[in-house]
Amino acid sequence: MFARTFAKTSILVAAVVAAGMLLPVVAQASELVMFEQAGCVYCQRWDRDVGSLYGKTPEAQALPLRRIDIQNQRSSGVTLASPIRYTPTFVVVDNGREVGRITGYSNDDSFWGLLDALAAKLAPPLHETNRI
């Protein structure tokens, strides 16, 4: 009896693990998805100007960065408003859906300003209210 139950449980666990491997990556609640491609000069500029310090910023705490090759956008797990055509394109995602995007990269000042504007579109975090 134990062997039969163990075998059924093992098969079920293996099936769940295999299904998880086949499904596209599910986007977390809020994130910044960077669509890029090899040889993109503007992607390299962003990496140099912003990418090296992005992970240490408050923006990265609210919008962790995930990189996707532009050729793999269909399997990104993000519901896009329209296809990505240019790199880099930065998509602010909330619960798997596009909130807004920044197409291209010119300089760090404009990137941070545009990112802040998109982040402001996200629902504010729920704060515990003071009860009297």
Side-chain angles (χ1 to χ4, degrees), residues 2 5 8 15 21 23 25 38 48 54 62 66 84 91 93-94 96 119 125 131-132:
F2 176 75
T5 303
K8 285 182 181 179
M21 293 175 153
L23 295 174
V25 174
R48 182 192 66 222
Y54 183 81
R66 181 164 57 111
I84 305 294
V91 179
V93 175
D94 189 39
R131 297 177 194 228
I132 301 175

Side-chain angles (χ1 to χ4, degrees), residues 28-97:
Q28 66 180 40
S30 295
E31 65 181 340
L32 177 64
V33 180
M34 177 183 180
F35 290 89
E36 61 186 346
Q37 65 183 334
C40 170
V41 174
Y42 296 100
C43 299
Q44 294 168 0
R45 285 185 189 168
W46 184 87
D47 282 337
R48 182 192 66 222
D49 298 346
V50 177
S52 60
L53 53 105
Y54 183 81
K56 301 171 189 168
T57 65
E59 290 84 355
Q61 296 300 312
L63 298 168
L65 179 66
R66 181 164 57 111
R67 294 170 176 257
I68 304 287
D69 187 280
I70 193 172
Q71 302 302 318
N72 298 328
Q73 61 186 286
R74 288 187 179 201
S75 62
S76 68
V78 176
T79 302
L80 297 168
S82 61
I84 305 294
R85 303 206 186 279
Y86 305 102
T87 58
T89 295
F90 303 90
V91 179
V92 173
V93 175
D94 189 39
N95 293 318
R97 295 193 162 284

